[in-house]
Structures are given as C-alpha cells and as structure tokens.
Amino acid sequence: FGEDLDNVDVCKPLVQTILDKADSLGNLQELWDNDSKYKRLSFELKRYLKDRPNEKIVVFAYFRPTLHYLHERLSAEGISSMVVLGGSVDKNEAIESFKQPNGPNVLLASEVASEGIDLQFSRVVVNYDLPWNPMKVEQRIGRIDRLGQSSPQITIWNIFYADTIDARIYDRLYLR
C-alpha cells in the first residue's frame, strides 16, 4: 500500500476479497511475460548501465508491493537494486550503502526518499509511478538536482502507458 495509508485495518476487507479472487484474476507468469511497463524500465536500465556500469539510478514508485516486485524482477535479471520504504530500514544507512562504489546500481524508493535526503551522486531519476501532485514530482527530482551535483545534466524518465490515467497525469504535470 502507499506510504500515505495510515489505517491498514480499513483495507482488510478489500485485501481479503482480492485474495479470495486471486486465482480468477490471472496468471502471475503471464503478468511477468507481458508487463510492458516493466520491460521498458528493464530495457532502459540495461542500456544505460551498459556504458555506465558504476552509475546510480533512483527509481520512485508509490506502492510498496510495486517496489518489491521491481526488486524481484531486477534481481532476477542481474541488476543490483535495493528498496527503501518508510519504517523498513534506517534510510540514512541505506543511502550510504547505495552510495558506495560497490553498492547497488538502483535505489527503489517510496515517497519516504523524496524528502530530506541527498542523492546528488546520482544523475538519473525514474518515476515508475507518477504522483498526482506536481510538487511531489519536483521533490523527487530535487533529491538529485541539488547543490553538489557534479554532472552538467540530470535525466528524468517518466514511465507510463499511453492512453491511460497515467498519461493524462503526465500531460497535466508537464503543462503545469
């Protein structure tokens, strides 16, 4: 669930309903085989890291299960990553581990990493999920676009499906 969800008890009936119907929702392997959004992320990460094997890339997603899914998929493909969520690990320790030259290439982060941390040693931010609030996008970008950034250029990748609500959000954010 998202970082903003304070009362998990409210969702228990919904979660139980989804679990009860999980078998009829589809095949997990089929999802993995046909997840074009993930495939695009994987393709871009591999392409980017091929020529820059020591780069550090920050990937933001809103939902915890999405972050775990991405971690599992990237690990299976040999892309080193780590997950930072609210309440799971000391985020400063995690950032220090990520920063190390032998640390993971990809930081998979929830909104907890969009404020109060310095990631200017990275020059790429990926928005796997786009928040509705344009200020949250700016906060994410602000983790790398800050004093101490040594790169003359930073890169922001926004990944979304065409003709979806995500595309509409992107268009609105871009126009603002």
Side-chain angles (χ1 to χ4, degrees):
F1 294 106
E3 292 291 330
D4 294 336
L5 190 59
D6 291 331
N7 188 353
V8 176
D9 290 336
V10 172
C11 292
K12 284 184 180 177
L14 173 61
V15 171
Q16 188 57 53
T17 300
I18 292 171
L19 289 172
D20 292 343
K21 296 182 184 250
D23 289 338
S24 66
L25 295 176
N27 178 304
L28 181 59
Q29 187 60 49
E30 190 176 327
L31 168 66
W32 279 45
D33 293 342
N34 297 300
D35 185 352
S36 59
K37 186 174 180 180
Y38 172 78
K39 286 180 181 179
R40 182 62 185 257
L41 173 68
S42 172
F43 173 80
E44 295 298 340
L45 289 175
K46 287 177 185 175
R47 185 173 71 157
Y48 189 80
L49 291 170
K50 180 181 176 194
D51 297 329
R52 303 165 195 86
N54 297 320
E55 285 287 327
K56 304 294 183 174
I57 299 168
V58 182
V59 177
F60 282 101
Y62 185 76
F63 297 102
R64 290 170 178 255
T66 302
L67 292 165
H68 293 301
Y69 168 77
L70 294 174
H71 179 64
E72 186 176 346
R73 299 267 336 241
L74 291 172
S75 296
E77 293 190 36
I79 299 172
S80 62
S81 65
M82 67 183 299
V83 177
V84 174
L85 321 152
S88 64
V89 295
D90 179 277
K91 72 177 175 182
N92 293 324
E93 277 183 36
I95 299 308
E96 279 305 310
S97 175
F98 174 58
K99 185 178 182 179
Q100 299 303 313
N102 61 345
N105 291 100
V106 178
L107 177 70
L108 299 165
S110 67
E111 295 304 314
V112 74
S114 68
E115 294 182 22
I117 62 170
D118 299 328
L119 299 170
Q120 67 270 33
F121 55 87
S122 174
R123 60 181 169 165
V124 178
V125 166
V126 179
N127 289 306
Y128 194 79
D129 295 329
L130 285 167
W132 290 75
N133 184 341
M135 200 60 216
K136 288 193 181 251
V137 175
E138 289 299 320
Q139 287 171 333
R140 290 175 174 187
I141 295 168
R143 299 307 93 218
I144 67 168
D145 188 18
R146 57 191 314 107
L147 203 58
Q149 176 56 259
S150 58
S151 178
Q153 177 180 339
I154 63 168
T155 303
I156 312 303
W157 296 337
N158 297 305
I159 300 177
F160 55 88
Y161 294 106
D163 302 321
T164 64
I165 190 71
D166 281 346
R168 289 178 50 204
I169 292 170
Y170 175 78
D171 289 340
R172 294 291 296 245
L173 290 171
Y174 186 77
L175 291 172
R176 287 184 181 182

